[in-house]
Amino acid sequence: MIVIHHLEKSRSSRIIWALEELGLDYKIEFYKRSPTFVAPPELKKIHPLGKAPILTDDGVAYAESGAILEYLRLQYGHTQPKNIHQYNFWLHYAEGSLMPLFVFKLVLGLVTPKVPFLIRPVAQKITQGIEQSFIEPRLKDHIEYVEHFLGEHEYMADEFSFADIQMAFPLKVLSTRTQLDIPNILNYLKRLEERPAYRRAQRHDID
Ligand SMILES: N[C@@H](CCC(=O)N[C@@H](CS)C(=O)NCC(=O)O)C(=O)O
């Protein structure tokens, strides 16, 4: 029996989408975030890292979204991505390069409201400085790179693959930055969101 341990507003939506693409039977266990937005301790009982997603299959726990997608593809999908090199690249790039910048940005945003009122202006100056000098220039390079790639490719690995599921998550985060001019990324997301399996996954109220 496949169980996806789904934390609200999290990367585990990727796995539900993949399970729908594969047409597998599965059960969802829902977990709520704490008021500070972290995962509840119960997730650590399923896998010591306690991060979402976690998938269990016949009692064995699998963590890390890219690795879970690969587990599902190899165990149940039996498909070879059309362009395996691009597939590998984007599968790793999503969590290895793109997501850390968003997480860094998120964490910096939490600093100022948490420090004593009197030193907030100082904290704000420091965090904004890091954001502008370190995060934003790197993010810009990444956005331009992905936007350019999607101007020339319909999917990450020549045809739809789990690399698209992996990449859709950070690109969705990016798309909420409304001031950005990223038509290729937005069209790509729209294409993915029209997939029947994506829509079936959304029916589970996973956000
Ligand atoms: N690289 C990991 C990231 C796992 C991760 O950080 N998941 C987040 C949810 S999107 C989480 O569990 N956050 C709660 C916490 O850190 O307490 C993956 O792709 O699975």
Side-chain angles (χ1 to χ4, degrees):
M1 173 72 186
I2 296 177
V3 181
I4 173 71
H5 297 267
H6 173 68
L7 178 66
E8 64 177 331
K9 297 189 187 359
S10 82
R11 293 160 169 92
S12 43
S13 55
R14 282 172 171 153
I15 309 305
I16 297 172
W17 180 6
L19 289 164
E20 287 292 344
E21 291 284 352
L22 293 170
L24 295 172
D25 280 336
Y26 63 94
K27 188 175 141 206
I28 306 179
E29 294 281 356
F30 291 89
Y31 297 80
K32 288 242 168 265
R33 287 181 184 265
S34 75
T36 52
F37 214 60
V38 297
E42 297 90 76
L43 268 182
K44 282 202 172 153
K45 293 186 189 143
I46 316 293
H47 186 283
L49 288 177
K51 301 271 179 272
I54 304 170
L55 176 133
T56 52
D57 191 6
D58 274 340
V60 181
Y62 301 88
E64 198 59 54
S65 38
I68 298 173
L69 290 176
E70 273 300 81
Y71 170 75
L72 291 174
R73 180 179 74 82
L74 295 166
Q75 186 78 1
Y76 297 105
H78 312 296
T79 52
Q80 177 79 347
K82 194 167 170 200
N83 186 332
I84 188 72
H85 303 299
Q86 289 293 347
Y87 175 82
N88 267 330
F89 173 77
W90 293 111
L91 196 74
H92 291 282
Y93 172 88
E95 287 295 321
S97 289
L98 205 45
M99 279 308 293
L101 290 172
F102 293 130
V103 175
F104 194 3
K105 210 170 147 62
L106 182 89
V107 172
L108 278 182
L110 297 175
V111 173
T112 305
K114 285 218 185 314
V115 299
F117 185 75
L118 278 179
I119 59 165
R120 274 188 203 163
V122 181
Q124 194 169 23
K125 213 167 173 51
I126 294 171
T127 53
Q128 279 177 354
I130 298 173
E131 222 178 297
Q132 278 156 22
S133 64
F134 183 86
I135 303 180
E136 289 305 332
R138 280 162 182 77
L139 212 43
K140 183 172 175 289
D141 287 346
H142 284 288
I143 295 167
E144 282 173 5
Y145 179 65
V146 178
E147 176 66 10
H148 179 77
F149 182 87
L150 287 173
E152 297 181 340
H153 300 82
E154 215 179 344
Y155 295 104
M156 292 303 176
D158 292 352
E159 63 185 16
F160 176 80
S161 70
F162 284 179
D164 297 296
I165 294 184
Q166 185 77 339
M167 276 300 288
F169 189 85
L171 295 183
K172 187 95 185 156
V173 174
L174 192 66
S175 72
T176 58
R177 294 162 56 124
T178 46
Q179 75 281 16
L180 293 173
D181 183 30
I182 44 171
N184 298 331
I185 291 174
L186 295 181
N187 284 334
Y188 168 71
L189 286 175
K190 200 159 159 269
R191 237 176 359 260
L192 294 179
E193 286 168 7
E194 278 163 6
R195 294 183 68 79
Y198 176 89
R199 291 194 180 162
R200 285 197 300 277
Q202 298 308 309
R203 281 208 309 258
H204 292 296
D205 197 18
I206 50 181
D207 290 333

